[in-house]
Structure formats: C-alpha cells, structure tokens
Amino acid sequence: MMKLYLSIVLILWCSGVLAQRKLVVASLGTKVPQRDIKVRVDNGDEFVTPWSGEIEVPDSFKRITLSHPRFQHRYVLANELHSDTIYLIPALHAIDEVVVYGQDRRKSMMAGIMRPVTPKEVPLPQVVPAGPNVLAMMVWLFDKTIAPTLEAKQRRKKALKEVRQKEQEYEAKWDALKAPQK
C-alpha cells in the first residue's frame, strides 16, 4: 500500500514539474511559423525554434524573450499570453544605426559654471476663455451650409459668361456672312 501512495505522489510531483506548454512562434505579416528564433525563458532556459516554429516552455514561466535579426525584439509575460501563437513583427523598416551629432556636454557645463546666473522670465499663461468657441462654430456652419452654394453660384456665373461670349462671337461671324459682299 505504501508503494502505491509513493508512486501516486511521485507521478503527481513529476506532472507538476514537467508541465509544459506548447507555443508556436510566427511572423505577424505572413502568419507563417518561423524557425531559428532565439527563445529565452526567465528560469534561464535558452533554445532555438525548429522549422515548425514550435517551442515548449514550462507552465510556470513569468517572461519569455524572443529575438531574431529579421524581427523586432519582443518579450511576452505569462498573463499576456491568451493563445498558443506568439507573433513577431518584421523589422523591415527598422533603423540599423543611429548617429547623434552634438556638442560635448562637459565643455558646455564647465563654461556654464563660470557664467553668472540670470533669472529667466517666466512666460505668462495663456488664458483660454471657458465655454464653446462661438466664432469657430459659426465659421464651420458657414463652410458646411452657405459656402458650397456660393461656390456653385460663382461657377454658374462664370460658365454663363463664357457661353454669352461664345454666342457673341458666333453672332458676329453670322452677321459677317449675311452682309453683302463688295
């Protein structure tokens, strides 16, 4: 009977220790599982995903760190993981190197020590009246209601002016044809 209890306790202990969670690492752009992704679990385990993108992590992890040169570096907390797939964002438009141009701060700080301190003027706060902006509402209302009709009226006037000008040209040509030839 003691052996039975011992074996049950041993099986329960092993199942708790060996509890694994299977996850898939995929690209967010293509939804395809990715291989050669470096995975590091917070307990110190570190491994690389196979061709299927599947990884097995302990069920009691707190943080998983994923890294690969073609993808943005990402870490996932245990409470953020709601499915069996972890998506990585491709680093297509990521900046490889940043160059900063500037001055040596130590020199400017040393020069500032010897300079006398002058008090700076504090800018006055801009007072914004409380309540709705009536003028802005009137301009918006004008733009939405009256302005389109005024623009349409101006277009009609211009088109009518062009038509009248063409009519006058045609009438002048017609009168020239009707006039007796000398």
Side-chain angles (χ1 to χ4, degrees), residues 70-88:
R70 292 183 306 157
F71 296 98
Q72 291 182 5
H73 184 78
R74 180 168 184 205
Y75 69 89
V76 179
L77 300 176
N79 58 357
E80 293 175 349
L81 199 58
H82 300 295
S83 68
D84 64 340
T85 306
I86 299 174
Y87 291 106
L88 296 178

Side-chain angles (χ1 to χ4, degrees), residues 19 40 50 67 73 92 94 114 129 140:
R40 172 181 257 169
S67 60
H73 184 78
L92 298 175
M114 303 307 284
W140 177 82

Side-chain angles (χ1 to χ4, degrees), residues 12-91:
L12 290 176
W13 181 75
C14 288
S15 67
V17 170
L18 300 176
Q20 297 281 322
R21 186 169 181 181
K22 190 176 271 191
L23 301 171
V24 176
V25 180
S27 170
L28 182 63
T30 60
K31 309 286 192 270
V32 174
Q34 298 295 314
R35 67 177 186 182
D36 299 331
I37 306 293
K38 187 176 177 182
V39 180
R40 172 181 257 169
V41 185
D42 57 356
N43 65 2
D45 293 343
E46 189 172 309
F47 45 91
V48 177
T49 58
W51 64 272
S52 62
E54 293 180 350
I55 56 172
E56 286 188 6
V57 295
D59 210 16
S60 61
F61 73 92
K62 291 181 182 165
R63 177 176 166 161
I64 299 174
T65 306
L66 303 127
S67 60
H68 191 274
R70 292 183 306 157
F71 296 98
Q72 291 182 5
H73 184 78
R74 180 168 184 205
Y75 69 89
V76 179
L77 300 176
N79 58 357
E80 293 175 349
L81 199 58
H82 300 295
S83 68
D84 64 340
T85 306
I86 299 174
Y87 291 106
L88 296 178
I89 300 171

Side-chain angles (χ1 to χ4, degrees), residues 91-158:
L92 298 175
H93 303 292
I95 299 172
D96 292 335
E97 182 177 324
V98 177
V99 178
V100 178
Y101 294 102
Q103 300 175 359
D104 188 5
R105 288 180 36 169
R106 291 175 292 178
K107 289 180 184 176
S108 61
M109 285 174 42
M110 292 305 288
I113 290 173
M114 303 307 284
R115 217 175 306 139
V117 178
T118 57
K120 294 183 179 178
E121 290 185 27
V122 178
L124 295 175
Q126 298 293 327
V127 178
V128 178
N133 189 346
V134 178
L135 183 61
M137 287 192 298
M138 289 175 57
V139 168
W140 177 82
L141 189 61
F142 177 80
D143 286 344
K144 294 296 180 185
T145 57
I146 299 172
T149 57
L150 290 177
E151 290 174 5
K153 187 176 180 180
Q154 292 295 326
R155 285 194 305 270
R156 283 193 305 270
K157 274 185 171 179
K158 185 177 178 183

